[in-house]
Structures are given as C-alpha cells and as structure tokens.
C-alpha cells in the first residue's frame, strides 16, 4: 500500500488520459512527466481514500526511456500545457491511436493510424493568456496559471504558438506597463486587465481580444491604439467586458468594443475562406483542420445532388468545405455570433447553397424530420461533452445514408457511438488526428453508415 510522502522506485508501464505516466503499484501511481519503460523515483503526494489511485511527483530518473527528448519550451513542466513535449513525436502518435482504440473498443470498427500535424511546433494559431505581474522585478507578463493554482507562469518564448503571436504578446505586455494599465487581481477584485486572446491567420495578421474587469477605461483604449500602431501585423484590437469571478474566459452579456482596426479576421482552411469574430471557436491547428475537413469531404462522397446538414457548425468550416459538392448545406449552431460569422463567410465566398440556422439542434432537427426534409449526409461536430441523446434521436429520424462524427473527446465519442449503433448506425472506421501535438488531446473522425455492424 502506498503511503503519502514516501519516495519509491517504480517502473512506468503506461500513460493515462491526462498524459501522466502510470506505474502498476497498488493502487496505480500516476506520475506526471514519467514515460513508459522508465524506472523512476517518485514521491507519493496523494492516495485516493477509496484506494483506487495515487498521484506522485517525479523525483529522479533511474532509467530514462530512449523516447525521451529535450522539451522545446523553457516553461515546460511549470505552465501545465504540452505535458508530452518530452516524448518523441512518433511515440505520441502511436499512443493517441491506442488511447482512441481503448476508449472505443469494438464500437470503433477499424482504427487508422494517427494523422500527424504538419508542424509539431509553432502550430497553434490562438494564444489564451492571463495577465500578471512578476513578483521579482514587477514586469507585466502574459502567461498561464500553473496547475491547480493561480500562480502565473510567464509564457514568453512559447514554442507552440504560431508566429507572430509571441512577438505581439511581448509588445502588448510592454505597452501595458508603459501606459500604467492595472492588472486584475481576483483575490482583491481590483485592477482592469484579465486576459488577452490572440489569434493569427494564414497571412500572419493578428486579432487581439482584451478581456477587462472594468469597461470603458481610457487607458485600455490607449493600449489598443498603441498596440495597433506598434505592431503592423495586428489587424484589430477588441475589448470584452468580463466582471464575474470564475472560470469563464470571456464575458457574453455585453457587446464587444472595437478599440483599433477591424474586428473580424479572415482565415483560410484549405480552399475555404472563413470570417472569425474575436470570441468565435476555430480549430487552433490550421494544417490539421485542413486535412480533417478534406477527409470529411472524402467520406461524404458527394455527387452534387445531396442535401447535407452540419450540426454544431460553428463558423462554418466544414459546411463551406462540403457546399461545392452538395445540392444544399444547412449549418446548425446555437451561438448566434458564430452563425453570423458563417453566413458572412458564405456571402464572401459566393456559396449560395449554404445557409446557417441559430438555435437548439434537437428542436431544429426535429422540425426537419416532421417536415420530411431529406438529409443524405449529416455531420456532427460537438463540444467535448458530446451529443445530447435527443439530438442523436433526431438525427436517426432523418435516416441519412452517411453520418460523420468529428470528436474532440474519445470518452464522449464512445458513449455516442454506442447509442448510434443501437439506432442502426454502426461505426465503420475512425481516424485519429494530432490536432494538439505534445498534449493528450485526440481529435477523431468517425464514419458511420446504416446497417448491421
């Protein structure tokens, strides 16, 4: 039995879903930054009162894995991101395929090899940064909360962010200090600047969203103007008001204010032109998203006569990819701002056969089924929690010939594939994608057609 505070030598046999190494002790010991095949000295930090698991800290390496590599980021191990950056890339890809296969079991059909990212570093087109002040020299920093704390780790020099995000973030921090803009302190409920969200498009143009705890501050307006003047790559700076405590990154109850430049960013994923507002969701790895969208189009096998429904369509990336090969495409999305972005992108690209509806997916799909609307292909691209049971039932009522499920969570995908199989839609094959290299995240495309498994 493991004892809290003890240092023990263990052999690591696997990696858990959070990216920590796992030793086959009793109970299993989870050790962040330990790799399969390594012998390590681990300090036991916590043992579950139910005796099901324990967690430790890597104290020393006795026998390193040949797959261990030097991490690229100087903040590795402190910021809590990219927890697999010390693991060789091919090993990460193999593990992600196995992670997906284990989660899905026999529901998966065939599991293909993981599609690698074109870039293992410098791939992330969006940075989500928290404002802070360095305790040592008083510098304003943009970083991330350390795991399980509100201590801020400076992310200057992040190797994952796509250029020029790191450069813009550094200039933004310098200007905030020079202009004397106060940094929000959640403990004291004082100060202005909370978060900065930076997004870069394929042309290297940057969109900046400043999340503030107090709206209408002249120093924030001055910061937005100064950043636009100092960084030619910055296309626009927008202010978002988020006064509440908690985990919500951005406020949703008030209109954003344009401080400088343009609020919208044009992006390209493959041949598709998208328009993205500051709060919109878009896959952060452009190269992998392009391959994923292309694979969705291949699996849809459109001939020009099909009617397609894209559920959880976001800013329209998949719907607009499929539109040229379809008779009509309907995108369904509950976030009105995303629907406006998608409709604007369709107009920009002259894609008349695509239209987008804002509202509850189950209700809208149910109305389509009651009116006997045809749906030859249905695409599901839900958030991490997966698809609600009523949405799956509404999709089944439409009886599409092909159902394509894009997932960012193997566990919710497994649950939903089980429900769909029971409704007569077994999964034929699944493709994993390395959308976020060096993290445990696994993106997947599941292809389903009606009939026996």
């Amino acid at each position: 039995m493991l004892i809290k505070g003890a240092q023990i030598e263990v052999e690591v046999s696997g990696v858990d879903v959070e990216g920590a190494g796992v030793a086959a002790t009793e109970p299993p010991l989870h050790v962040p930054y330990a790799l399969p095949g390594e012998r390590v000295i681990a300090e036991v930090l916590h043992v579950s009162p139910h005796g099901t698991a324990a967690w430790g800290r890597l104290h020393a390496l006795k026998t390193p894995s040949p797959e261990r590599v030097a991490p690229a980021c100087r903040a590795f191990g402190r910021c809590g991101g990219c927890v697999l950056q010390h693991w060789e890339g091919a090993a990460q890809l193999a593990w992600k395929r196995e992670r997906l296969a284990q989660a899905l079991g026999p529901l998966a059909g065939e599991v293909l090899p993981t599609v690698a990212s074109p870039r293992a570093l410098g791939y992330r087109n969006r940075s989500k940064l928290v404002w802070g002040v360095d305790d040592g020299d008083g510098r304003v920093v943009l970083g991330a909360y350390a795991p399980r704390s509100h201590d801020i780790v400076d992310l200057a020099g992040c190797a994952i962010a796509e250029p020029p995000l790191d450069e813009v973030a550094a200039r933004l921090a310098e200007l905030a200090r020079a202009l004397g803009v106060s940094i929000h302190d959640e403990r004291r409920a004082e100060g202005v600047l909370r978060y900065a969200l930076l997004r870069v498009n394929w042309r290297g143009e940057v969109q900046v969203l400043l999340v503030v705890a107090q709206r209408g501050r002249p120093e924030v307006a001055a910061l937005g103007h100064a950043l636009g003047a100092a960084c030619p790559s910055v296309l626009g700076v927008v202010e978002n008001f988020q006064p509440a405590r908690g985990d919500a990154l951005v406020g949703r109850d008030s209109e954003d204010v344009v401080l400088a430049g343009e609020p919208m960013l044009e992006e390209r994923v493959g041949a598709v032109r998208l328009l993205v507002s500051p709060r919109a969701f878009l896959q952060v790895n452009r190269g992998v998203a392009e391959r994923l969208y292309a694979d969705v189009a291949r699996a849809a096998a459109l001939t020009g006569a099909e009617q397609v429904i894209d559920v959880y369509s976001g800013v329209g990336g998949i719907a607009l990819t499929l539109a040229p090969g379809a008779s009509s495409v309907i995108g369904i999305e509950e976030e009105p701002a995303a629907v406006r972005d998608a409709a604007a992108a369709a107009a920009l690209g002259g894609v008349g056969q695509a239209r987008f509806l804002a509202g509850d997916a189950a209700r809208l799909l149910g109305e389509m089924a009651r009116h006997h609307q045809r749906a030859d292909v249905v695409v599901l691209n839900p958030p991490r929690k997966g698809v609600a049971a009523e949405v799956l039932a509404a999709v089944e009522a439409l009886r599409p010939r092909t159902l394509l499920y894009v997932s960012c969570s193997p566990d919710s995908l497994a649950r939903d594939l089980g429900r769909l199989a029971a409704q007569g839609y077994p999964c034929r094959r699944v493709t994993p994608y390395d959308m976020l290299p060096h993290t445990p995240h696994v993106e997947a495309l599941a292809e389903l057609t009606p009939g026996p498994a």
Side-chain angles (χ1 to χ4, degrees):
M1 187 67 179
L2 298 179
I3 300 173
K4 180 179 178 180
Q7 289 189 4
I8 59 172
E9 182 174 331
V10 295
E11 183 168 351
V12 179
S13 56
V15 173
D16 68 17
V17 298
E18 301 296 331
V22 182
T25 53
E26 183 57 44
L29 179 63
H30 299 251
V31 186
Y33 310 111
L35 294 176
E38 293 185 330
R39 290 199 68 82
V40 305
I41 304 295
E43 179 185 356
V44 180
L45 300 179
H46 178 73
V47 179
S48 166
H50 307 292
T52 55
W55 292 265
R57 179 179 66 85
L58 179 60
H59 180 73
L61 278 172
K62 296 286 286 186
T63 308
S65 166
E67 296 172 344
R68 180 175 283 273
V69 296
C73 285
R74 66 184 184 186
F76 174 75
R78 294 185 292 117
C79 78
C82 302
V83 295
L84 300 178
Q85 203 179 98
H86 61 309
W87 204 7
E88 194 271 328
Q92 293 186 41
L93 297 179
W95 175 78
K96 290 186 179 189
R97 180 186 182 278
E98 182 61 23
R99 157 85 173 108
L100 186 64
Q102 287 185 355
L104 302 185
L107 294 168
E110 180 186 10
V111 182
L112 298 181
T114 305
V115 175
S117 172
R119 290 187 289 182
L121 298 173
Y123 67 82
R124 191 178 178 96
N125 64 32
R126 198 178 199 203
S127 294
K128 300 178 181 180
L129 304 168
V130 59
W131 291 92
V133 177
D134 187 280
D135 291 334
D137 57 13
R139 285 182 305 112
V140 171
V141 299
L142 282 164
Y145 288 125
R148 296 171 296 280
S149 82
H150 268 210
D151 296 334
I152 296 173
V153 178
D154 186 357
L155 290 187
C158 175
I160 301 304
E162 185 177 342
L165 294 180
D166 187 59
E167 175 187 341
V168 171
R171 193 74 180 108
L172 180 59
E174 291 171 1
L175 289 169
R177 182 178 185 181
L179 293 170
V181 190
S182 60
I183 308 304
H184 184 68
D185 186 320
E186 284 202 352
R187 297 181 182 88
R188 298 187 177 90
E190 297 174 348
V192 177
L193 295 174
R194 298 186 66 144
Y195 306 103
L197 281 62
L198 283 62
R199 192 195 318 260
V200 62
N201 67 6
W202 93 105
R203 284 194 294 236
E205 297 167 333
V206 178
Q207 177 190 67
V208 178
L209 183 68
L210 299 177
V211 182
V212 299
Q214 302 172 33
R215 74 175 108 201
R217 302 285 300 196
E219 65 269 32
V220 175
L223 176 60
H225 285 292
L227 182 66
C231 297
S233 62
V234 172
L235 187 69
V237 184
V238 175
E239 177 187 287
N240 171 264
F241 176 54
Q242 164 56 308
R245 292 175 181 264
D247 296 330
L249 208 62
V250 297
R252 298 185 178 276
D253 297 330
S254 61
E255 290 294 321
D256 295 340
V257 177
V258 179
L259 301 179
E262 301 294 328
M264 302 292 286
L265 191 70
E266 182 182 337
E267 180 61 289
R268 283 187 182 268
V269 180
V272 173
R273 300 169 71 185
L274 301 174
L275 290 174
V276 187
S277 53
R279 284 189 264 165
F281 169 81
L282 183 67
Q283 279 91 354
V284 299
N285 189 324
R286 190 183 305 105
V288 174
E290 180 176 345
R291 170 63 186 272
L292 174 61
Y293 292 2
D295 285 352
V296 169
R298 171 199 51 76
L302 301 176
T303 66
E306 291 84 3
Q307 295 185 23
V308 178
I309 300 175
D310 180 12
V311 189
Y312 312 103
S313 55
V315 297
I318 291 176
L320 295 174
T321 298
L322 297 178
S327 172
S328 70
V329 176
I330 298 174
I332 295 175
E333 169 61 48
E334 68 176 0
E335 177 55 54
V339 172
R340 290 193 294 270
D341 291 353
L348 177 70
V351 186
Q353 64 270 51
R355 62 190 180 99
F356 297 89
L357 306 176
D360 177 73
R363 178 180 62 80
L364 291 171
L365 291 168
E367 290 175 359
M368 293 176 186
R370 285 191 294 274
H371 288 88
H372 305 288
Q373 181 163 335
R374 193 172 101 239
D376 301 293
V377 177
V378 172
V379 180
L380 299 169
N381 187 10
R384 180 167 294 275
K385 65 183 179 181
V387 184
E390 56 266 31
V391 174
L392 293 178
V395 168
E396 191 273 336
L398 292 169
R399 298 308 297 171
R401 65 152 170 85
T402 301
L403 178 56
L404 303 172
Y405 190 134
V406 178
S407 169
C408 60
S409 168
D411 298 321
S412 61
L413 177 61
R415 180 201 65 210
D416 294 344
L417 289 185
R419 293 172 176 173
L420 289 165
Q423 293 172 194
Y425 278 88
C427 181
R428 305 301 180 182
R429 67 176 183 177
V430 181
T431 305
Y433 298 83
D434 195 16
M435 184 69 76
L436 300 177
H438 311 300
T439 78
H441 177 92
V442 185
E443 199 89 3
L445 168 62
E447 303 175 34
L448 302 86
T449 53

